[in-house]
Amino acid sequence: MKDLAEEIRRARVLVLDDNPVNVALLQDMLDDDGYRDVTGMTDPAAAVAQFAETPFDLVLCDIRMPVMDGHEVVRRLRDILGADTFLPVIIMTAQTDIETRLRALEAGVRDFITKPFDRAETLYRIRNALEVEVLWRDRRETAARLERLVDRRTAELRAREAHLSGVMDHAVEVIITADGDGLIHDFNPAAEQTLHMTAAEARGKPLSTFLGEGWSPRLGALETMARRSDGSIFPLEASLGSMEIAGAPWYILIGRDVTKRKLAEEEMAFLARHDPITELPNRTALIARLRTMIEEGRGGLALYVAVQRLRRIGDTLGHAVAEKVLRAAGERLEETTGGHGVVGAWGAADFLVLCENIEGVCDYCADSGQKLAAALREALEEPFHVDGNELVLDCRIGVSHFPEHGRIPARVVQRAGLAVFAGRARGDAGVTVFHPEMEEAIGRRHVLERELRHAVERQQLRLCYQPKIDLATGRVAGMEALVRWQHPDLGLVSPAQFIPVAEDTGLIVAIGDWVMHEACRQTAAWHGAGHEHLVVAVNVSGRQFLVHDLSRRIRTALDAAGLPPDSLEVEITESAVMGDISDAVRMLREWRDMGASVAIDDFGTGYSSLGYLRQLPLSTLKIDQSFVRHLPERRADRAVARTIIDLAQALDLHVVAEGIESEDHAAVLRDLGCHLGQGYLYARPLPAAEFEAFLAGGVAA
């Protein structure tokens, strides 16, 4: 297996995705795992051309790409390789519909990797695909070599019988000749070594001595359990040919002991239906079992068990410990079902439990699966003792019923998993039973995600600007740019709906770029109209903050608009900054050095320490509206606001209060020494034209 592992690490791998972030992510993942020859490309046509010039051992291909989608790429690769050749393609997709997957499988695709990527699952699938390709290639080459060898040996025997002895002595395959009655005549050294008998001892014995009683000569390829002289048996793969010597018929058998290959095939067959870590049934086996239950009219439960905290164990104690915990978790689940259910591995840290509703034997289904789910949770929450460590897991369980929640196995499992997702979103205690409304909600989210991918290019995004008012003078000091989505069919989509989707999918990066460019462009236009004092505040999300070239993107937006950097304030939340304080300090210093200012948004709601706060090159703290809403009547909120303002003064920072809705709010904040404020007292977020009117005094404060 060491040679196989080394060959896999040397494999040429192509990552093809029109999203360069996904390409970089997979390249880094494969590099970290020891792969030495990984190529990343975003242009499908160029990738196909390069494959035609020098084929890759494996292609990781996105299914949805502009100009040429993944299906067309697969078709072209198949044309290059030929219909009977192994197609080394794994599809990467966030789509789970059966039609897309069946279409890819019919084209010869090996496997799927689901977005967003799970590191362990992705690496296992890549490694499994490469192992199958290596073994397929080895078997093909072996078969071809054997066939060529048989042809060559047969031709040589017919032409020159005198040469047979030399060929047989040096062949690594078993070579035996026998007369027309099947009695052994020649027995080469490889046969002696394989069958544990000398040529002298074998001569004159019938071939059936080694090939089994009742064996009769049959020309062509054969595979049988051969017998050694000591009675032990082994798998023999051979080819039997005929020839004529001096007018008499003769047989020649050429073969090899394929014990190692058979063991490898058995291991592959096991891995094809079992998880390599837990040795539990895998997705393929679970789907087959569930299909059988449904087709035979047997109802029951599918419980999707999503294990939590396992990744943290792997990060802190190593993957070996995490794998031991995962195996132990699978064993506990099997013990808990008491033989009444099928426990399998569904993902890197997810299990699936299938429980048939058998009256009088298993009553788990009687309460919609709550009893079984509670028992499974209790089993997993008991501490695990591994390598001297006491480790605790948590889990969430989603339950679906079959056939009530579907007659298609994949859909039954999907709905159990959807129940996990919905339960997490709703804050359930840990067990959630599927309800059709959950699917409707995820359907709405899918529509939002699909349409949001095109919102920028279709020019559906708009910016509104909420004025920031100098509380002492009433003068407009600047504005905060806030993105809105005006969809032609969905109408005005609330940021509360689409921003979380953008964060989860990574679309927030492209949206954030558009917001930064548009805000800088509009502010530069207002400067040109005589409002040079305006400073625009632009929010940067936590996901954007992780982009390595964010500073370059901000500089590009400023340069494209011709806006002075000191007219831009970048707003970021406490939680994003505190994720990696050293990296945050570096990036914020880059913004300060280019001339932009930095504000901490929603200050007081996060978890920043004052020690870290002193290290950050900030200019502004924003008091969250939750502390402003009840300022006039709540002493505690006034104390919080006063503390933030005093802290800002001590650190020489400006303070902006959000959510000012009344003159009482403004009066308290002025008394506390707050510099700037924004809120409905002055104006809601305004489209650009209305903001201009506000500046000109056309909108009442």
Side-chain angles (χ1 to χ4, degrees), residues 471 631-632 638 660 662-674 681-682:
L471 296 181
L631 271 180
R638 289 198 299 275
I660 300 176
S662 69
E663 184 55 44
D664 289 341
H665 291 156
V668 173
L669 289 166
R670 276 194 297 269
D671 291 343
L672 293 176
C674 182
L681 173 64
Y682 307 108

Side-chain angles (χ1 to χ4, degrees), residues 69-144:
D69 65 10
H71 294 299
E72 178 62 16
V73 171
V74 170
R75 187 189 67 77
R76 296 195 183 190
L77 297 186
R78 171 59 74 199
D79 290 343
I80 292 170
L81 294 174
D84 297 325
T85 306
F86 188 92
L87 182 63
V89 177
I90 295 179
I91 286 295
M92 304 181 296
T93 179
Q95 295 177 283
T96 59
D97 64 281
I98 295 176
E99 181 180 352
T100 297
R101 292 177 177 263
L102 285 178
R103 182 180 173 188
L105 289 171
E106 288 172 357
V109 166
R110 297 293 115 190
D111 203 351
F112 295 89
I113 297 176
T114 303
K115 297 180 180 179
F117 306 118
D118 180 278
R119 175 184 175 84
E121 179 184 359
T122 298
L123 292 175
Y124 280 131
R125 291 184 179 276
I126 291 172
R127 183 177 63 208
N128 289 345
L130 287 170
E131 286 179 353
V132 170
E133 183 178 6
V134 169
L135 293 171
W136 179 88
R137 188 167 58 241
D138 178 68
R139 183 169 185 177
R140 182 188 61 180
E141 292 171 355
T142 299

Side-chain angles (χ1 to χ4, degrees), residues 21 77 84 99 142 154 177 250 316 324 337 353 376 426 451 479 489 613 672:
V21 174
L77 297 186
D84 297 325
E99 181 180 352
T142 299
T154 302
T177 64
W250 284 76
T316 56
K324 290 180 181 179
T337 60
V353 180
L376 296 176
R426 297 189 320 200
E451 294 299 310
M479 59 282 178
D489 299 321
L613 194 61
L672 293 176

